[in-house]
Amino acid sequence: MIEVNGLTKFYGPIEALRGVSFEVKAGEIVGMLGPNGAGKSTAIKIITGYLQPDEGTVQVDGLDVLTHTREVQARIGYLPENTPLYPELSVQGYLKMMADLREIPEGEQQAKLSEAIYATGLTEHLTRPIGQLSKGFRQRVGLAQAILHKPKLLIFDEPTVGLDPTQIIEIRNLIKRLARHSTILFSSHILSEVEAVCDRVIIIMNGLVKKDARLADLSATSDVVLVLEKNANGVDKVLRSLSGVKEVETTRDADGNLTYRIIGQTQTDLCPTIYELAKKSNWPLRELHRDVRTLENVFNQLATTV
C-alpha cells in the first residue's frame, strides 16, 4: 500500500529525514514511533503529498505521490496532528462540506455521512457548533471526515494527543474497528498507544529508521530468567556450559533469592532444558520463564545506542 524509498528532507541546515525507507502492506496497522522532532510528521506530510522531499520516492497504492498527488490524496483519509476544523460550523455542516470537497456524488452522500457519523459516535452532536465540542469529540469529527469517502489508506498524526484516558481508549477502539476495512499508518511518541493498537512498529530517531519489526517479533528473545530460593553450588558454571548459552548474569533480590538471566545465542527456547536440569540437580526452583522485551525496553536501548 505504501512504498517509501530513500526519503531525505532538509529544513535549512537541519536534516529532518536521512534516507528513510519502509513499506506498509495492505491491511496492516503500523505505528510510526519516535520522540518529538524525530521526523515522523515530516514523513507523513510527504506520504500524503503535502510536502515534497529533497530526495527519495513514495508510492501509495501503486501511484507516485509526486506525479499523481491528487489521485493519491483521493485514496487517503488523513487526520493531521492539529485537525483543521471550522469552529463556527455545526458537525453536520462541516461533514457535508467535506463530502462536497471530496466530490462524493449527492446520491451517495447521505449513506456515507450516516456511516461515518455512526462509526465515530457523533449522532447526538450533529447540530452543535464544533467550537463547543470537547477535544475528544473534535478528534472524532476529524476522524469522521477522514473516513467519509471510505479510503483504502488511513493516516493519523498523533491521533490521541491532548486527550484524557477515557477519550484515548475510545479513539484506540475506533482505530481498531476502522482497520477491518482500511490500512492504517499512524505516528505517535506514546509507546503504550503503539503497543495497544499496532501489528508492526517503525521506530524513527534523528531522521533515521532505527527499527522496523512486528511487535510479536520485537518482544521475542531467547533469554531465560531462573530464580532460586537459595544458593546452589556451581549453578552459574553449569548454565554457562549448556549448548546455546552465550552468557549468564547473576543478581540477588531483596528477599535473598538468586536470579540468573541466561542469555541465549539463538532464538531457541532454553526453558525445557534448564527445567530438566533443575529437576535433576534438585535446585530450589522458585521461578523459570522466557524473558520478554517490552517496546519500552527496545525503545530505550535504541535511544542510548550511538
Side-chain angles (χ1 to χ4, degrees), residues 62-80:
L63 296 174
D64 185 274
V65 172
L66 294 180
T67 56
H68 298 88
T69 306
R70 292 296 298 274
E71 293 94 325
V72 167
Q73 289 175 341
R75 301 180 186 208
I76 294 175
Y78 177 37
L79 179 67

Side-chain angles (χ1 to χ4, degrees), residues 167-176 192-193 196-197:
Q167 293 167 339
I168 288 172
I169 292 170
E170 291 173 351
I171 296 299
R172 278 184 193 170
N173 292 334
L174 177 57
I175 289 173
K176 289 178 181 178
S192 59
E193 288 301 298
V197 176

Side-chain angles (χ1 to χ4, degrees), residues 154-261:
L154 291 170
I155 297 180
F156 304 140
D157 193 359
E158 303 283 359
T160 62
V161 66
L163 303 186
D164 64 38
T166 300
Q167 293 167 339
I168 288 172
I169 292 170
E170 291 173 351
I171 296 299
R172 278 184 193 170
N173 292 334
L174 177 57
I175 289 173
K176 289 178 181 178
R177 291 198 301 271
L178 294 173
R180 298 170 188 167
H181 308 289
S182 301
T183 303
I184 295 179
L185 172 68
F186 80 90
S187 78
S188 180
H189 63 278
I190 304 172
L191 279 70
S192 59
E193 288 301 298
V194 175
E195 281 189 308
V197 176
C198 296
D199 305 316
R200 194 173 121 227
V201 62
I202 298 168
I203 298 178
I204 295 182
M205 293 181 178
N206 299 317
L208 294 169
V209 174
K210 286 293 194 79
K211 200 76 175 180
D212 181 353
R214 295 184 63 81
L215 285 174
D217 297 333
L218 204 60
S219 63
T221 172
S222 59
D223 299 352
V224 171
V225 174
L226 169 68
V227 182
L228 302 181
E229 291 185 353
K230 58 184 179 181
N231 192 19
N233 292 330
V235 171
D236 54 347
K237 183 178 180 180
V238 173
L239 291 172
R240 285 190 177 91
S241 69
L242 292 176
S243 175
V245 172
K246 181 179 179 181
E247 186 55 77
V248 177
E249 299 173 354
T250 307
T251 57
R252 190 183 295 273
D253 64 20
D255 297 325
N257 300 314
L258 275 170
T259 299
Y260 299 88
R261 188 165 184 268

Side-chain angles (χ1 to χ4, degrees), residues 25-223:
K25 296 179 181 179
E28 284 190 302
I29 309 178
V30 177
M32 190 181 293
L33 180 65
N36 290 326
K40 306 184 303 296
S41 292
T42 297
I44 281 180
K45 288 176 182 176
I46 292 173
I47 293 169
T48 53
Y50 291 96
L51 196 64
Q52 288 197 348
D54 293 313
E55 295 178 13
T57 61
V58 179
Q59 286 194 343
V60 172
D61 199 22
L63 296 174
D64 185 274
V65 172
L66 294 180
T67 56
H68 298 88
T69 306
R70 292 296 298 274
E71 293 94 325
V72 167
Q73 289 175 341
R75 301 180 186 208
I76 294 175
Y78 177 37
L79 179 67
E81 183 175 356
N82 298 305
T83 311
L85 301 173
Y86 294 86
E88 69 279 5
L89 291 181
S90 68
V91 172
Q92 188 170 358
Y94 171 75
L95 293 177
K96 176 65 171 69
M97 180 188 73
M98 294 305 298
D100 292 335
L101 290 173
R102 285 287 186 185
E103 299 180 346
I104 298 173
E106 284 286 342
E108 299 177 14
Q109 283 194 14
Q110 184 175 353
K112 290 189 176 180
L113 283 165
S114 296
E115 192 171 340
I117 289 165
Y118 178 77
T120 52
L122 291 168
T123 307
E124 298 180 4
H125 302 273
L126 294 179
T127 59
R128 291 187 63 186
I130 292 173
Q132 295 180 11
L133 298 175
S134 68
K135 183 168 178 62
F137 275 99
R138 291 199 299 273
Q139 283 291 82
R140 290 177 186 229
V141 175
L143 284 166
Q145 66 80 23
I147 67 175
L148 194 57
H149 55 303
K150 292 187 176 179
K152 291 183 176 182
L153 174 63
L154 291 170
I155 297 180
F156 304 140
D157 193 359
E158 303 283 359
T160 62
V161 66
L163 303 186
D164 64 38
T166 300
Q167 293 167 339
I168 288 172
I169 292 170
E170 291 173 351
I171 296 299
R172 278 184 193 170
N173 292 334
L174 177 57
I175 289 173
K176 289 178 181 178
R177 291 198 301 271
L178 294 173
R180 298 170 188 167
H181 308 289
S182 301
T183 303
I184 295 179
L185 172 68
F186 80 90
S187 78
S188 180
H189 63 278
I190 304 172
L191 279 70
S192 59
E193 288 301 298
V194 175
E195 281 189 308
V197 176
C198 296
D199 305 316
R200 194 173 121 227
V201 62
I202 298 168
I203 298 178
I204 295 182
M205 293 181 178
N206 299 317
L208 294 169
V209 174
K210 286 293 194 79
K211 200 76 175 180
D212 181 353
R214 295 184 63 81
L215 285 174
D217 297 333
L218 204 60
S219 63
T221 172
S222 59
D223 299 352

